[in-house]
Amino acid sequence: MISYEHTIAARIAEHARHRPDVAAILFEDVRVSYAELHAESNRVGHALLRDGLDRGSRVAYLGRESHHFYTIAIACAKIGAVLVPVNPRLTTVEINHVLRDSTAEILFVEHEFVSVIEPLRADLAALRQMVDMDAPGARYGRFLRWFAGGPTHDLDLPVDTDDPVAQMYTSGTTGLPKGVILAHRTFFTFIDNMRRAGVDWIDWRPEDRSLSAFPGLHAGGYAWFMHSLSVGATSIVMQSFVAGEAGALIERHAVTTLWAAPAMLQIVLSEPDAGPHRFRSLRKIVYGGSPISPELQERCMREFDCDLVQAYAAAETGSFVTCLRADEHTPGHPKLGSAGRICPGNDLRILDEAGVELPPGQPGRICVRTPAEFIEYANRPDETAAMKVDGWLRMGDSGYLDDDGYLYLRDRINDTIIVAGQNIYPVEVENVIRTHPHVADVAVYGVPHPRWGEVVHAAVVLAPGAQVSPRQLMLFLRGWIADYKVPVGYRFLDSLPRNPTGKVLRRVLRAEDGGARAPTTGAPRTAGTAS
Amino acid sequence: MTTTRAPAVERLRHLPASERRAELESMVTEQFRAVLLIPDDEPVPLHESLFALGMSSVLIGEVQHRLSDLLGQNLHSSVLFNSCTVAQVIDYLTTDVLPDMFPQSASPPTALPPAITRVLWDNVLHEMGAGAA
């Protein structure tokens, strides 16, 4: 049975009908009402159909955020196509992989990134069409021409809430990004379950003016936008996160709700022109994506005069799993070091290595059951099967529950490093460092950092007689991996510490760098990672 | 604008005006040296692009905090993103952050066009944007 009600297509049509003049998006000086967004995305949807795109087709977007990005996203949702956002700051190797892996048939690309794509096109067999968004002297001019004159009537195609709608690429355990496929339902179940339970721990209201510091190119920002859209709120869209601009936007548009990583909050608070005048319109800030230090947590409580909520989630969970509520953000609250309690509609348990459920207080693997969960990893059935077991998501984090059901995060099972909310798998960095002719062996690991949560360090074993400096290694890596993945610290060792079976002991390296991941710091880890 | 008692600022204040620029340059280049992993026996290029030197978004944030700590006041994060070279960062500090100590400075403002600022900030976007939903 088709369930259309909980689809992005149905929801925007409803808003266009019942509140057509309400602003859906504010982007720079552009205001897009729900009626306009609905009509424009219909046009783009018709143009996609005209060009041969269809249900299940992958539609890639390479560029920064704008109202047009979301118009394309909604158009995809209406015709049953799947949006594949491509972060322009990925390296050429990574962009090539994303476009190949997703088998994107059409690519919308901002003009300044066209030169990145041109050399790759011969390799991209599935890519039939590239739409350069910009014309000389006319930003977005070519894109506007591409769909101009098309019909605006509703598409009326059968779209189901379980249909895929977005394929978000995140760091992969094997070294290249993997596509997390999300369904329409992902963006509705959380709100429904909170309403059903009669709580507003994390909420979106029709009158909200909502700002996500996470970009829509990533699961966190995309999900936040779609949740806002589902209730008919107004989303403030930034081309990219700019600290001074974020504060100014909050003031200018009287933003009521903000979704950000702790590092972003720190940057916003540290701007010289930060102050109560900037933030007085805020009613709620939801933060997550990386650990927050107790110091920053206290500062946020002190300087933002609004509700603060911490959330634990991952791309694979689709939406929030646990939350530390606003009323628990008080100085000295006993649960401040936790990631909060399970949100209504979700379920959580802690398992040991044998899959046996553990009692409160005993740490093990965090497993989550949520109706918002992802569909699958693109082209990785084995990894999907390993992640989804008997209806539970096996998270990459370890932790424990206390007697009151609050989740305390301890460590990441798969050595994932999280730099300001961005997952980095050591192997993807190690693979590149190993290509240096003077490197015999290497291990990459995360070291706690007061601002970024963690930073990347590398322990390197050089080939006999070889000499290379940390700076030479750092410069060598540029262009091969995204810049935030490049280690900021290097050590040279005669050999790497290994266990009896030969596995590198990254926790030993971490501890030697003064970065043991101990559960006693009280700093909650808020970023979920898939195993 | 300069209201702090940061030791580095006090040290500059007690130097003859003619020596302050060199001392500030030394302080600032040491911060860049540390984050860019430049060996002690190599000079820090003053006029080379920060990104050509290997500066990343994480490192820019690190330098910003180091300089803020050094000077005892929060520096606008756009300072580093608006500066192409170490020399331009120093110019900015003398004209906009420590103007009372560098009254004769004739250095021009270092701001770049907004478009360039935007591109540089995208690195921060990238580092912060992904991962959790």
Side-chain angles (χ1 to χ4, degrees):
Chain A
M1 190 180 78
I2 298 288
S3 175
Y4 178 68
E5 182 195 352
H6 280 176
T7 64
I8 292 166
R11 202 52 64 94
I12 184 144
E14 182 186 325
H15 293 318
R17 206 163 41 244
H18 296 297
R19 44 209 322 265
D21 298 326
V22 170
I25 295 175
L26 299 175
F27 172 69
E28 298 179 349
D29 294 325
V30 179
R31 180 187 189 278
V32 184
S33 71
Y34 271 99
E36 290 165 335
L37 186 59
H38 183 51
E40 202 89 323
S41 55
N42 278 351
R43 269 206 185 96
V44 172
H46 282 292
L48 288 169
L49 293 172
R50 174 202 69 203
D51 286 1
L53 283 300
D54 202 351
R55 190 182 180 86
S57 295
R58 265 49 180 175
V59 175
Y61 177 94
L62 173 63
R64 289 182 297 265
E65 213 167 335
S66 72
H67 54 306
H68 295 309
F69 167 75
Y70 289 107
T71 305
I72 293 168
I74 293 166
C76 287
K78 286 178 172 179
I79 70 165
V82 179
L83 181 74
V84 181
V86 187
N87 192 317
R89 294 302 150 196
L90 292 176
T91 65
T92 305
V93 174
E94 291 166 327
I95 290 172
N96 190 20
H97 166 75
V98 169
L99 293 174
R100 287 166 63 96
D101 187 65
S102 64
T103 62
E105 296 174 49
I106 186 170
L107 170 66
F108 296 95
V109 55
E110 278 191 295
H111 183 71
E112 72 174 278
F113 306 114
V114 168
S115 60
V116 175
I117 297 302
E118 289 296 357
L120 307 177
R121 282 206 72 173
D123 276 347
L124 300 171
L127 187 64
R128 294 187 281 110
Q129 189 177 357
M130 184 170 84
V131 178
D132 181 346
M133 301 281 287
D134 308 301
R139 190 178 174 203
Y140 309 127
R142 286 199 177 110
F143 172 65
L144 295 172
R145 279 208 302 275
W146 172 77
F147 71 87
T152 59
H153 62 78
D154 286 359
L155 289 130
D156 290 328
L157 295 171
V159 182
D160 186 88
T161 192
D162 287 322
D163 283 348
V165 70
Q167 189 163 318
M168 317 298 293
Y169 276 81
T170 180
S171 286
T173 47
T174 56
L176 284 168
K178 59 187 175 189
V180 177
I181 302 177
L182 299 171
H184 289 254
R185 64 172 153 71
T186 287
F187 312 110
F188 299 96
T189 58
F190 183 85
I191 292 175
D192 282 353
N193 285 324
M194 295 290 272
R195 279 182 183 158
R196 230 173 260 135
V199 296
D200 61 356
W201 301 349
I202 301 174
D203 61 332
W204 295 264
R205 301 175 186 171
E207 66 273 21
D208 269 335
R209 287 172 167 248
S210 173
L211 175 64
S212 170
F214 290 94
L217 301 171
H218 301 288
Y222 183 91
W224 186 268
F225 177 91
M226 290 304 173
H227 280 84
S228 297
L229 179 137
S230 78
V231 303
T234 299
S235 289
I236 317 301
V237 170
M238 286 191 292
Q239 194 178 40
S240 58
F241 173 78
V242 180
E245 187 175 311
L249 283 177
I250 290 170
E251 184 180 3
R252 176 183 169 196
H253 294 299
V255 167
T256 56
T257 52
L258 172 66
W259 160 228
M264 296 165 171
L265 295 180
Q266 172 146 352
I267 289 172
V268 169
L269 283 175
S270 298
E271 291 299 307
D273 44 11
H277 67 287
R278 282 275 199 237
F279 312 129
R280 66 168 59 100
S281 61
L282 287 169
R283 70 171 182 86
K284 187 172 283 186
I285 296 173
V286 182
Y287 65 90
S290 64
I292 187 167
S293 69
E295 294 76 21
L296 178 58
Q297 201 172 36
E298 285 171 22
R299 186 177 177 194
C300 289
M301 287 189 279
R302 201 169 54 243
E303 298 187 27
F304 287 122
D305 184 22
C306 69
D307 286 351
L308 284 166
V309 177
Q310 184 189 159
Y312 170 72
E316 289 84 351
T317 66
S319 193
F320 301 116
V321 176
T322 68
C323 125
L324 186 70
R325 302 186 319 252
D327 61 297
E328 292 160 333
H329 278 77
T330 54
H333 194 285
K335 305 299 186 186
L336 268 184
S338 79
R341 284 193 301 171
I342 193 79
C343 294
N346 298 333
D347 207 353
L348 188 151
R349 61 184 186 176
I350 308 294
L351 301 185
D352 69 9
E353 285 299 312
V356 176
E357 187 166 357
L358 294 167
Q362 288 198 29
R365 182 189 288 271
I366 298 168
C367 294
V368 172
R369 193 158 55 188
T370 170
E373 69 172 6
F374 79 124
I375 298 172
E376 61 181 346
Y377 294 121
N379 310 314
R380 301 193 190 205
D382 292 346
E383 288 189 45
T384 303
M387 179 65 180
K388 299 172 90 164
V389 177
D390 298 330
W392 291 82
L393 299 178
R394 298 173 75 249
M395 307 297 286
D397 297 315
S398 71
Y400 65 91
L401 294 169
D402 69 8
D403 289 332
D404 300 320
Y406 284 75
L407 175 67
Y408 289 78
L409 294 146
R410 275 187 63 132
D411 204 351
R412 289 188 289 280
I413 292 168
N414 54 12
D415 291 318
T416 316
I417 304 163
I418 303 183
V419 177
Q422 174 73 57
N423 290 1
I424 300 168
Y425 288 97
V427 68
E428 63 181 316
V429 183
E430 292 166 354
N431 286 347
V432 181
I433 297 178
R434 280 203 185 89
T435 63
H436 191 287
H438 294 335
V439 171
D441 204 357
V442 62
V444 164
Y445 51 97
V447 173
H449 189 276
R451 284 181 287 281
W452 307 110
E454 285 185 308
V455 288
V456 183
H457 279 211
V460 179
V461 178
L462 293 179
Q467 278 196 329
V468 62
S469 71
R471 178 162 173 74
Q472 286 169 326
L473 278 177
M474 187 175 81
L475 295 176
F476 171 79
L477 295 171
R478 295 182 66 219
W480 293 103
I481 49 176
D483 77 347
Y484 66 94
K485 299 176 184 174
V486 174
V488 300
Y490 300 81
R491 307 197 269 152
F492 295 100
L493 302 175
D494 293 333
S495 63
L496 298 176
R498 294 178 184 277
N499 71 9
T501 63
K503 186 180 187 315
V504 172
L505 297 171
R506 290 192 179 86
R507 60 180 166 75
V508 172
L509 295 166
R510 259 196 311 270
E512 288 173 354
D513 262 359
R517 281 174 175 166
T520 54
T521 60
R525 296 181 176 283
T526 57
T529 55
S531 59
Chain B
M1 186 170 177
T2 308
T3 58
T4 72
R5 294 178 183 275
V9 176
E10 290 306 304
R11 190 158 75 243
L12 287 173
R13 196 183 303 283
H14 287 97
L15 285 175
S18 61
E19 296 175 18
R20 286 178 185 162
R21 168 92 191 189
E23 178 62 17
L24 178 67
E25 189 172 303
S26 170
M27 292 175 182
V28 172
T29 54
E30 285 316 297
Q31 307 308 317
F32 280 98
R33 179 189 301 286
V35 300
L36 290 169
L37 307 176
I38 297 174
D40 290 343
D41 58 354
E42 286 181 21
V44 174
L46 293 178
H47 302 289
E48 203 168 315
S49 152
L50 290 178
F51 285 85
L53 290 177
M55 192 60 89
S56 69
S57 42
V58 170
L59 297 183
I60 277 192
E62 189 61 29
V63 171
Q64 183 211 344
H65 283 278
R66 281 169 170 260
L67 293 178
S68 295
D69 289 347
L70 182 75
L71 302 176
Q73 60 182 291
N74 288 332
L75 293 185
H76 230 289
S77 48
S78 58
V79 170
L80 285 151
F81 286 98
N82 281 349
S83 303
C84 270
T85 66
V86 176
Q88 284 179 303
V89 173
I90 296 167
D91 287 344
Y92 177 85
L93 296 178
T94 61
T95 56
D96 288 61
V97 180
L98 304 168
D100 53 330
M101 269 187 277
F102 296 91
Q104 300 306 314
S105 176
S107 301
T110 57
L112 291 180
I116 295 180
T117 308
R118 174 76 65 184
V119 169
L120 301 180
W121 261 109
D122 283 346
N123 289 308
V124 164
L125 171 159
H126 181 56
E127 103 200 0
M128 292 177 171

